[in-house]
Amino acid sequence: MALKWGIVTTGFIAHDFVNAVSTLPADDHEVVAVAARDKSKAEEFAATHGIPRAYGGYEAIAKDPEVEAVYVAALNPAHYEISMMMLEHGKHVLCEKPLCMNEREARKLITFAESKKLFLMEAIWSRFFPSYQYLKRQIDSGTLGEIQEVNVTFGFHIPSERVQLKKLGGGTVLDLGVYTIQVSQWAFREPPKEIKATGELNADGVDIGVKAELIYSRGVARIQTSASTKLKNEAVIVGTKGQITLNDTFWCPISLTDIDGSVKTWPLPPGRHPHFNFPNSCGLRYEAEEVRKCIRGGLLQSDVVSHNESLVIAKIQDEIRRQIGVKYDADDQ
């Protein structure tokens, strides 16, 4: 039976998500409603994607009896409030990263979802790509040996207010850093024992560049983010027996360089609409399918992006922000 999706907000990533879902079997996924603060934008989005219902405001989608799961693609500071509203009305939630503005909010949201017996997952789509699953198998099998290092960079020139303004939840730690942190966690499988971070802040007090070391019991992850400079944007996972590189777009890689130097590739299908806003966004289909599989299996969380893993990532983000001096209104509440 198709999972009935509702979409909250109509930005670039929401377009890409719905376009990606269109590549999955209609018997498994159906987008039935979309909501935006501006109803005309919701109507335009619905017309583009063939969605039956468009709402002005988010409460209407929370109250739509047909919607089972809601994809929350709002700006970072709204994640907690919107996700809470959806859970209160009995909806399962897939919320874009970062799950919330800090660990405290994330813990409250997760606790509430569990009390309501509803599925909740942070949309760390990277981990559902075949390349990430292959990397995990290589680590699990011991092919790489003991993991010693992760070296990962993520940077572009990003003038967008969404990244540059504090009131919009800006900063590279939440926008880009979450990807560098999650791939480090994917390799080391434990919270870091120590974190050392330095950063550059803009005039609004959010980070536009960060360098950090996550020190684990048996190795170190070196991460770097930038909203001003294009970096290599790859992740190199180094073990005692060799290394694997998630190539170029490490956060959504359709290829990797294996331990023997060979390149393995997993192509993506075309979407219903030829245009995607972000690289390899058709890969959002993988996390959508995970949500359906978990909900139909009666699970409240995915073991690929578990509740505990989201809390560990949020705690790391909080500590990096503390060290470099980035504080949001949500931190005071």
Side-chain angles (χ1 to χ4, degrees):
M1 185 173 69
L3 182 66
K4 304 293 179 69
W5 286 95
I7 308 297
V8 166
T9 77
T10 57
F12 290 156
I13 193 65
H15 165 85
D16 285 5
F17 180 82
V18 174
N19 203 20
V21 168
S22 76
T23 68
L24 295 167
D27 289 345
D28 291 344
H29 297 269
E30 184 181 356
V31 180
V32 298
V34 58
R37 285 200 171 94
D38 182 341
K39 189 177 182 183
S40 67
K41 288 186 177 180
E43 290 170 341
E44 181 182 352
F45 190 94
T48 298
H49 292 282
I51 299 170
R53 293 185 296 285
Y55 298 118
Y58 306 140
E59 192 170 355
I61 209 167
K63 291 180 175 179
D64 186 322
E66 192 181 13
V67 171
E68 293 179 84
V70 175
Y71 173 62
V72 177
L75 290 169
N76 295 345
H79 287 182
Y80 174 78
E81 181 183 354
I82 293 172
S83 296
M84 269 292 192
M85 179 193 297
M86 300 304 149
L87 292 167
E88 285 167 353
H89 287 83
K91 309 303 184 191
H92 303 289
V93 172
L94 172 65
C95 181
E96 263 306 328
K97 52 79 199 161
L99 183 61
C100 294
M101 292 299 293
N102 54 36
E103 184 200 5
R104 182 189 57 79
E105 281 189 347
R107 191 174 294 280
K108 286 176 68 176
L109 188 66
I110 286 167
T111 300
F112 186 68
E114 291 175 345
S115 75
K116 295 280 285 185
K117 302 285 195 289
L118 291 167
F119 178 84
L120 170 68
M121 189 176 84
E122 183 177 12
I124 299 178
W125 62 314
S126 312
R127 293 183 170 190
F128 302 100
F129 273 74
S131 49
Y132 269 74
Q133 293 297 312
Y134 179 84
L135 170 62
K136 183 177 186 296
R137 290 194 297 274
Q138 295 297 80
I139 293 172
D140 289 348
S141 67
T143 302
L144 279 173
E146 192 170 283
I147 302 302
Q148 295 180 312
E149 293 178 41
V150 173
N151 297 295
V152 53
T153 61
F154 197 0
F156 294 99
H157 175 59
I158 310 174
S160 167
E161 289 186 343
R162 179 181 60 81
V163 175
Q164 298 287 338
L165 295 183
K166 182 178 284 191
K167 69 180 181 181
L168 301 183
T172 64
V173 170
L174 296 190
D175 192 68
L176 306 177
V178 61
Y179 287 114
T180 65
I181 293 165
Q182 68 80 24
V183 75
S184 303
Q185 289 297 114
W186 194 238
F188 281 108
R189 316 281 176 84
E190 64 176 17
K193 297 189 173 302
E194 187 181 356
I195 296 169
K196 298 177 182 178
T198 59
E200 177 189 357
L201 309 189
N202 68 9
D204 205 40
V206 297
D207 54 290
I208 56 171
V210 169
K211 290 183 179 180
E213 288 189 350
L214 311 182
I215 300 163
Y216 297 89
S217 60
R218 294 180 179 176
V220 61
R222 298 177 186 89
I223 67 177
Q224 182 181 359
T225 61
S226 176
S228 58
T229 306
K230 187 179 189 302
L231 302 176
K232 288 189 75 173
N233 298 331
E234 67 179 18
V236 184
I237 294 85
V238 182
T240 52
K241 296 180 181 178
Q243 69 182 43
I244 288 177
T245 301
L246 297 169
N247 298 326
D248 191 17
T249 51
F250 81 89
W251 66 100
C252 54
I254 58 171
S255 72
L256 59 73
T257 302
D258 208 350
I259 190 169
D260 62 0
S262 65
V263 176
K264 291 184 168 54
T265 303
W266 295 267
L268 287 162
R272 179 185 296 162
H273 298 280
H275 173 69
F276 283 94
N277 294 296
F278 301 108
N280 300 337
S281 274
C282 194
L284 291 162
R285 69 200 300 271
Y286 299 127
E287 69 175 3
E289 185 53 27
E290 174 74 3
V291 172
R292 177 186 169 275
K293 185 182 78 174
C294 289
I295 290 172
R296 293 292 178 252
L299 303 176
L300 304 184
Q301 60 182 310
S302 165
D303 62 359
V304 180
V305 185
S306 68
H307 292 169
N308 184 65
E309 184 73 348
S310 286
L311 291 173
V312 169
I313 291 169
K315 189 172 184 178
I316 294 169
Q317 291 171 318
D318 285 358
E319 177 59 19
I320 291 173
R321 289 197 296 109
R322 187 192 69 78
Q323 290 190 25
I324 65 176
V326 175
K327 191 173 183 181
Y328 300 109
D329 290 345
D331 298 327
D332 292 326
Q333 293 170 9

